[in-house]
Amino acid sequence: MNKKLIVAWIVLFVAWMIGSFVVHGVLLHSDYMQLTSLFRPEADQQKYFPLMILAHLILSGAFVWIYARGAEAKPWMTQGVRFGVAVVFLTTVPTYIIYFVVQPMPGDVVIKQIVYDGVLMVILGTLVAWLYRNTAAPPRVG
């Protein structure tokens, strides 16, 4: 593990926690308040908050590691957006569709979750690409 990966991991962890708070604690808060029977009470959620931190540590580390392994000497912003979109289709979209199948979540809330978290993933992809902007390997020939 190199210093750049550790720094990017920490930056991404903080950005992801803030972004998740904005998405789920602010933008979707009123939607979630109408669905209290589907979620733990807030006091109960707080007991499990260390697991939320652990999950975001794992997510941000994997996100940075995967990006760092595939970064090329191409424009960083394009790579970051592309990576974010790939993550959206790999994780965000299927996860919320699966949740919709097994949990009686309103469709409009699921669409908002996908859109808001999708935007967050593209922002995070762009952020990690910016952090790695001058370290990509030259493209391979042949």
Side-chain angles (χ1 to χ4, degrees), residues 40-93:
R40 294 179 189 275
E42 193 167 330
D44 201 22
Q45 290 177 29
Q46 291 304 315
K47 289 190 318 191
Y48 296 103
F49 194 71
L51 290 174
M52 183 72 71
I53 292 171
L54 176 63
H56 280 79
L57 278 169
I58 293 167
L59 285 164
S60 56
F63 196 95
V64 170
W65 179 69
I66 293 167
Y67 181 84
R69 299 292 298 158
E72 297 176 333
K74 293 181 178 178
W76 64 267
M77 185 173 282
T78 305
Q79 285 190 87
V81 169
R82 183 185 66 213
F83 183 68
V85 169
V87 171
V88 168
F89 286 111
L90 180 66
T91 63
T92 306
V93 172

Side-chain angles (χ1 to χ4, degrees), residues 74 106 135 140:
K74 293 181 178 178
T135 58
R140 295 184 187 109

Side-chain angles (χ1 to χ4, degrees), residues 11-28 56 116-117 119-121 123-124:
V11 169
L12 214 52
F13 168 75
V14 171
W16 207 326
M17 289 293 291
I18 291 168
S20 289
F21 172 76
V22 169
V23 168
H24 299 283
V26 176
L27 296 174
L28 291 169
H56 280 79
Y116 295 156
D117 266 344
V119 169
L120 177 58
M121 290 308 107
I123 291 169
L124 294 174

